[in-house]
Amino acid sequence: MRVYLEVVILDNFFIDLLLLSALSALLPPRASLGRRCLAAGLGTLYAVLTPLRQFRFLAHPAIKMGVGLLLVFAAFGFGDWRTYGKRALAFFGLGALLGGLVIAGGFLFGSPTAAGRGYIVTGIPLWLLIPVSLLSVKGCETLVRRIKDAISREDAVLTVRIRIGDTEISLPGMVDSGNLLTMPGTGVPVIVCGREPELMALWPQLQSRMLELPVHSIGGEQSLQAFRPDGIQLCGKDTKEVTAAVAVSQELARDIRALVPVSLL
């Protein structure tokens, strides 16, 4: 089968972009379009180089997995081992699922699917592949939003236990699907608290941990003081230890003492 270079480039770029966009929708925080395109470009470069005789060693399965890990890093950064591992596993799982769908699509359209040492040509017309890719990503976003809303309704109220040294602060918390705050560079979710007296009493010793957290809202841009406590537990139907940061806001309603992002559930 004759395979044209431009077809390999376009097919692989859009397939990689689709995978990374679906992953971004499924596991927030979202990666910017620029970073997703950068990662898709790296994947396409790998697809172009691998069939060449002098680069055939790149087809080794271990190197393929390493390239997949590199794409996840390029799009989302590292954060922490748990978050990065979760994204990597989801990326490989989505890739396996999409590979099967691509092969089925090739048979459906009567066009053979070509899989080389590092590239894939779907056999699906690009005029159809692009809109289907975009609709698939939007479908992922809608599905995740509905799942989050269902979780929020089921476990809307819980207790947040924040441990700082030998001190433990317990606050009634509410799950907020609109809280998408994450720490810059690490992607760690942020629980927003009010100016609790117990927390304010520890404020001087927390200064060395403080980071500025930029917040974009309808009212404009502002920044919150955020820190990583020694431990956080969420107590609802079950007690769960989570990795999260804590930010303090003066704008919380009096009856709301902690806003917990859905991603921590």
Side-chain angles (χ1 to χ4, degrees):
M1 177 183 178
R2 179 179 297 175
V3 178
Y4 294 96
L5 179 61
E6 60 269 24
V7 176
V8 173
I9 291 174
L10 290 174
D11 260 24
N12 281 273
F13 181 82
F14 282 111
I15 288 295
D16 285 341
L17 185 59
L18 169 61
L19 286 173
L20 293 166
S21 297
L23 184 61
S24 182
L26 288 170
L27 296 175
R30 296 177 61 90
S32 66
L33 178 60
R35 293 196 65 162
R36 280 179 277 152
C37 288
L38 172 63
L42 292 175
T44 303
L45 177 62
Y46 170 77
V48 171
L49 291 178
T50 303
L52 302 179
R53 181 173 301 175
Q54 61 269 39
F55 293 107
R56 286 189 176 179
F57 67 92
L58 294 176
H60 192 281
I63 296 180
K64 285 186 178 182
M65 292 188 66
V67 171
L69 295 174
L70 175 63
L71 297 192
V72 175
F73 175 78
F76 300 94
F78 182 75
D80 55 65
W81 283 106
R82 180 183 177 184
T83 303
Y84 181 71
K86 187 187 299 183
R87 285 203 180 100
L89 287 175
F91 178 76
F92 290 127
L94 287 171
L97 175 62
L98 185 59
L101 293 175
V102 163
I103 293 173
F107 283 114
L108 179 64
F109 285 92
S111 302
T113 299
R117 292 177 174 269
Y119 66 85
I120 188 168
V121 178
T122 64
I124 302 175
L126 284 175
W127 62 265
L128 182 61
L129 178 62
I130 295 173
V132 167
S133 299
L134 294 175
L135 289 174
S136 299
V137 173
K138 290 299 180 183
C140 286
E141 292 177 345
T142 302
L143 177 62
V144 170
R145 191 180 302 116
R146 289 185 177 181
I147 291 173
K148 286 181 176 180
D149 289 342
I151 293 174
S152 297
R153 287 192 296 270
E154 182 179 353
D155 299 313
V157 179
L158 40 75
T159 300
V160 181
R161 293 177 180 169
I162 303 171
R163 182 167 53 83
I164 304 170
D166 297 328
T167 303
E168 183 175 280
I169 302 171
S170 293
L171 304 173
M174 183 180 74
V175 177
D176 180 15
S177 60
N179 179 5
L180 302 177
L181 295 176
T182 57
M183 294 295 286
T186 64
V188 173
V190 177
I191 297 174
V192 180
C193 300
R195 295 177 63 85
E196 299 294 326
E198 304 99 319
L199 196 55
M200 292 298 99
L202 299 173
W203 203 251
Q205 70 186 66
L206 292 173
Q207 291 304 308
S208 60
R209 307 189 192 186
M210 289 295 176
L211 292 175
E212 291 288 331
L213 178 64
V215 178
H216 307 279
S217 63
I218 298 177
E221 295 188 4
Q222 58 175 316
S223 62
L224 299 178
Q225 293 286 317
F227 67 94
R228 290 282 297 273
D230 297 314
I232 295 181
Q233 287 184 334
L234 301 181
C235 305
K237 293 180 179 178
D238 301 303
T239 298
K240 179 182 180 183
E241 190 85 22
V242 297
T243 299
V246 174
V248 176
S249 173
Q250 300 182 11
E251 299 181 1
L252 287 186
R254 291 183 179 180
D255 56 337
I256 301 175
R257 300 176 64 185
L259 295 177
V260 180
V262 176
S263 58
L264 290 176
L265 299 183

